[in-house]
Amino acid sequence: MPAISPVRSRHGAAPRRGAARRLVVVAAILLAGCSGGGEADYNRVDVPEREAEAQAAIEQSVAQNGAARTALSGVPIARVSPNAARDRAFPTEFLGYWGAGDNDCELANTEATGRINVDADTIRFYQARARVQRMERHTAQEVAVDLRFSRDGRTFERREIYRLDAGGTVLVRSDPSATQRYRRC
């Protein structure tokens, strides 16, 4: 059986043991430098501030309204500072034209008695106008409103409940004597 010859470098000399040890030490130092020098925290996730605020708003809305209602209506992200005008304003989802009947959404139809226009703090009916005096937001889809109506030179006040149904395509207006459903125009 032939004898096994030691490994030789390309110059014909056998490698020295000290060089091999130095190579191992250098490799260990390089690997240690890659580790960051401390304990790794794999549970820490840096999230941008706006994304964290959005997630907090979603979680709050789900806690208040439930997941299904939050999914239907969405979540308002921007926070506005309170003031008297904003406290009386309808949420954005309520704004616009609504019709009780099939022909009420035709804007050219000047005799559309079932059409209403919800502005920020005013509701315009066919022959009346109502200004918001006070508003309570029950949920993102429901508000209770104290209205001052003016019609034919007379004024009166009434409390009504406005609720969005069917993913915001139906507006339900309720007062103590009646309930009226409108569809978004």
Side-chain angles (χ1 to χ4, degrees), residues 46-59 77:
D46 290 328
V47 178
E49 184 177 343
R50 291 182 61 97
E51 289 181 25
E53 290 172 1
Q55 184 62 38
I58 291 168
E59 290 170 1
I77 299 301

Side-chain angles (χ1 to χ4, degrees), residues 163-180:
R163 184 181 76 246
L164 293 175
D165 281 345
T169 61
V170 174
L171 176 70
V172 180
R173 174 179 158 230
S174 304
D175 64 34
S177 63
T179 297
Q180 177 67 50

Side-chain angles (χ1 to χ4, degrees), residues 16-161:
R16 294 183 296 185
R17 289 187 174 202
R21 285 188 188 150
R22 277 184 287 202
L23 183 61
V24 170
V25 170
V26 169
I29 290 172
L30 289 173
L31 287 173
C34 293
S35 70
E39 286 287 321
D41 184 4
Y42 296 105
N43 293 323
R44 180 179 171 182
V45 177
D46 290 328
V47 178
E49 184 177 343
R50 291 182 61 97
E51 289 181 25
E53 290 172 1
Q55 184 62 38
I58 291 168
E59 290 170 1
Q60 180 183 4
S61 182
V62 169
Q64 290 175 348
N65 305 321
R69 279 196 175 252
T70 300
L72 285 174
S73 67
V75 180
I77 299 301
R79 299 271 186 218
V80 293
S81 58
N83 66 30
R86 282 193 199 107
D87 290 344
R88 290 190 317 265
F90 276 95
T92 307
E93 297 80 16
F94 288 80
L95 303 181
Y97 288 95
W98 301 85
D102 292 334
N103 295 328
D104 291 330
C105 284
E106 295 177 15
L107 295 180
N109 182 3
T110 58
E111 300 297 317
T113 58
R115 180 173 54 220
I116 64 173
N117 180 15
V118 179
D119 287 328
D121 67 344
T122 306
I123 303 173
R124 287 181 280 153
F125 298 89
Y126 178 65
Q127 291 183 335
R129 180 181 207 129
R131 296 220 15 123
V132 175
Q133 302 301 303
R134 188 168 157 263
M135 180 177 296
E136 295 174 11
R137 288 177 173 84
H138 293 167
T139 67
Q141 293 81 31
E142 183 175 286
V143 293
V145 186
D146 293 331
L147 297 168
R148 179 177 291 147
F149 286 84
S150 59
R151 180 179 179 172
D152 300 328
R154 298 178 299 129
T155 61
F156 61 95
E157 292 189 7
R158 182 168 60 202
R159 183 173 187 85
E160 294 184 345
I161 307 291

